[in-house]
Amino acid sequence: MQNRQPEFSKGKEISMGSLVPPVLSDYMNYRQFLADFYLFKRKASKGSLRAYTYAVFSAAANIKSPNYLKMIIEGKRNLSDDMIGKFGKALGFMKDQTEEFRLLVQFTQAMDPAERNMYLKKLSEHRVAGKLKSGEIDRKTWEKVPNWVAWIIYAMIDQDGVSFDTATLKNLLRGKASEDEIDNALSTLISSGDLRRDEVTGELKKARSLTESPEEIPVALVRKLQSQLMYLGLESLYQDQPTEREFGTLTLSLTKSEFEEIKFKLRQMRKALHKDNSIARMKDKGERVYQLNIQLFPVTNAVETAVKAPAMKSALDIQVETPIVETTPVEAPVMMAEAPAVPQAAAPAAPVSAKEQKNERSNVSSLAATAASAADLFR
C-alpha cells in the first residue's frame, strides 16, 4: 500500500509571467516540489522544438517508465532510496541538494509520528547547516542565541534557593539536560552578557533580557527553540501529575477575522502575564520555573470553492510581529476561566481519582513512549 501524503501546505506559487525555478528549501512536501518543478520546466520549454514531458524526465533519470514522475506526484508510488538518487540527477541537484531531497522524501513518506519527527529534525538541521555555510544565517548570531537549556537556566535566576553548580542544576532540571549541556549553557549566558556574577557575593544575576534584540534572531533558530519547549510540554503530559500542570485543548471552526482576533488576544495575554510576573519577581523569588506554551494552528485547508460574503474587519484584526518565546518563572500554573460560549468540539476532560493520579506514571501507554522518544530528538 502506497503512502498518499496529504498536502497541508504548498510551495511558492509559480506565476505565468515568471520562470524562476522552485527552491527545494521552500517545501515541506517533495511531491509538491516535483509538481512545481515539472510545471516550471513545461513553461520554460514552451515554444521550443522539444517540449518538456514526463518521458524527458524519465530519460534524464534513467528510468524506463515514461510516466514514473507523474505517478510519484499523484501519490500513486513512493520513492525508494535508489530512486531518490536518480531523481536528484534528473533534477540537476548537487550532492548537498540530493541529500536534502532525500530527507524531504523520507519526512513526507514517513507515517509514524516519532519517525516523522526524526526526519523533520534531520531536515531542519541540514537546511540550517546549508544556510550557515552560505552565510544566509550569521554564524556568530546563531551561536550566541541560547538554546532551551540556557533559556530555562536564565529563568532560574528568579527561582528561590538555587545553587548554580552543575550537579544541582542537573537535578533541578530533572535530568533532562546533560552536564555538558548545562556547562555550555552557563558559559554562553555569562560570556554573552546575559548573566553576570556579583563581584562581592559571587551570585549570578540577570544582566539583560534574552530577547533584547529579537530582530537579530534567525527564524530557523526561533523554530528550533519553540519546538524544543513544545516537546517539554509533551513530556510533562505523561510525566507530571495533573495537579502540577494545566493542559487543555479546543478545536474550533473560525473565519479569517476570528482567527486574527483570537491570535491578537493570545499575544496580549502572553505579554500581560510576562509583565505581571516580572513585577512579582522584583518583590520576591518564585518557587519553581514553569513553561507556558501557546499554540493556535490550522488542521484543515480552506475549501477553495467556498464563497463567503465579505465580512467587516474587527478592530483587533491587525498584523503584529512574530513573537519570540518568553520563558519566565511563575508561582503556579496559569488557570484560564472560559466564558460561556456556543458549544464547540473540545477534547473532554475526565475526572481523575487519587488512585489514578498515583498510578499515572506506571500506566503510560505506547503513545507516551512514542512521545518521549520524539522529545529526545530535540535535546
Side-chain angles (χ1 to χ4, degrees):
M1 181 177 180
Q2 300 301 324
N3 171 21
R4 299 197 179 194
Q5 180 66 30
E7 181 183 314
F8 294 107
S9 60
K10 296 184 178 181
K12 293 185 177 179
E13 294 290 335
I14 301 177
S15 65
M16 295 301 293
S18 172
L19 286 179
V20 178
V23 179
L24 182 62
S25 59
D26 290 336
Y27 292 79
M28 293 304 296
N29 186 315
Y30 82 94
R31 300 186 198 276
Q32 183 61 46
F33 169 77
L34 291 175
D36 288 350
F37 173 84
Y38 180 72
L39 178 61
F40 162 75
K41 297 294 285 186
R42 289 282 293 178
K43 290 180 179 178
S45 65
K46 187 177 182 180
S48 63
L49 294 176
R50 187 184 182 189
Y52 194 86
T53 63
Y54 290 119
V56 172
F57 182 91
S58 292
N62 194 24
I63 300 173
K64 293 181 179 180
S65 173
N67 290 323
Y68 196 82
L69 174 61
K70 185 174 185 293
M71 291 189 290
I72 293 295
I73 291 174
E74 294 176 350
K76 295 178 180 179
R77 297 285 296 272
N78 278 342
L79 273 182
S80 65
D81 198 58
D82 290 339
M83 280 295 182
I84 290 174
K86 292 184 177 183
F87 266 56
K89 180 181 178 182
L91 292 165
F93 285 162
M94 302 296 287
K95 184 178 179 180
D96 284 349
Q97 289 177 302
T98 300
E99 180 59 25
E100 180 182 351
F101 182 67
R102 184 186 307 278
L103 292 170
L104 181 59
V105 170
Q106 292 170 335
F107 167 72
T108 305
Q109 294 181 169
M111 297 296 292
D112 180 73
E115 189 178 1
R116 282 178 61 82
N117 281 316
M118 178 184 69
Y119 288 127
L120 176 60
K121 179 175 182 290
K122 290 182 177 181
L123 177 62
S124 299
E125 290 176 346
H126 182 88
R127 287 177 169 175
V128 166
K131 291 180 179 180
L132 286 169
K133 186 177 180 180
S134 66
E136 185 176 343
I137 296 178
D138 182 66
R139 186 173 294 276
K140 291 183 179 180
T141 301
W142 179 269
E143 292 176 349
K144 74 179 183 180
V145 176
N147 60 9
W148 77 269
V149 181
W151 207 270
I152 302 300
I153 291 176
Y154 179 85
M156 292 174 74
I157 296 294
D158 291 328
Q159 182 176 345
D160 188 33
V162 176
S163 175
F164 287 87
D165 60 90
T166 305
T168 299
L169 290 175
K170 183 177 181 180
N171 181 57
L172 291 175
L173 288 169
R174 305 196 280 186
K176 296 181 182 294
S178 66
E179 293 183 358
D180 286 342
E181 287 177 316
I182 293 172
D183 288 338
N184 291 335
L186 272 174
S187 177
T188 299
L189 288 170
I190 295 174
S191 62
S192 63
D194 296 315
L195 297 181
R196 64 177 179 83
R197 286 194 181 276
D198 188 283
E199 295 181 356
V200 178
T201 64
E203 181 183 0
L204 278 176
K205 296 183 178 181
K206 291 182 179 180
R208 64 177 185 178
S209 171
L210 285 181
T211 57
E212 196 168 273
S213 302
E215 67 280 355
E216 297 180 1
I217 302 178
V219 174
L221 186 51
V222 175
R223 289 173 177 169
K224 179 181 179 181
L225 175 60
Q226 289 180 334
S227 65
Q228 290 172 337
L229 295 174
M230 289 175 190
Y231 274 99
L232 288 178
L234 188 59
E235 285 185 337
S236 177
L237 179 62
Y238 294 101
Q239 295 176 357
D240 294 326
Q241 296 296 326
T243 54
E244 295 183 320
R245 55 173 170 78
E246 175 60 23
F247 277 68
T249 60
L250 189 62
T251 308
L252 305 167
S253 176
L254 302 172
T255 64
K256 177 64 175 177
S257 61
E258 289 169 345
F259 163 74
E260 293 294 345
E261 186 166 344
I262 292 176
K263 186 168 68 171
F264 176 82
K265 289 179 178 179
L266 289 175
R267 289 179 173 180
Q268 292 301 105
M269 181 191 74
R270 177 176 57 82
K271 291 178 181 179
L273 289 172
H274 184 245
K275 179 181 178 181
D276 292 344
N277 181 253
S278 298
I279 295 174
R281 293 291 73 78
M282 292 178 183
K283 299 177 182 178
D284 50 34
K285 294 194 173 185
E287 298 174 0
R288 301 175 72 176
V289 172
Y290 290 83
Q291 177 62 36
L292 174 64
N293 295 330
I294 302 175
Q295 299 169 242
L296 177 65
F297 53 90
V299 290
T300 68
N301 288 329
V303 180
E304 296 181 0
T305 57
V307 179
K308 295 184 178 180
M312 294 182 63
K313 284 190 175 182
S314 165
L316 298 177
D317 189 16
I318 63 174
Q319 296 293 327
V320 292
E321 296 180 354
T322 301
I324 303 300
V325 176
E326 294 175 356
T327 306
T328 54
V330 295
E331 296 189 14
V334 178
M335 304 290 289
M336 297 296 295
E338 296 182 1
V342 178
Q344 301 287 350
V352 182
S353 66
K355 182 177 180 180
E356 288 174 332
Q357 292 182 11
K358 183 177 180 181
N359 296 330
E360 184 178 7
R361 295 178 185 271
S362 61
N363 293 332
V364 175
S365 65
S366 59
L367 176 60
T370 300
S373 64
D376 288 338
L377 297 173
F378 288 86
R379 295 190 191 149

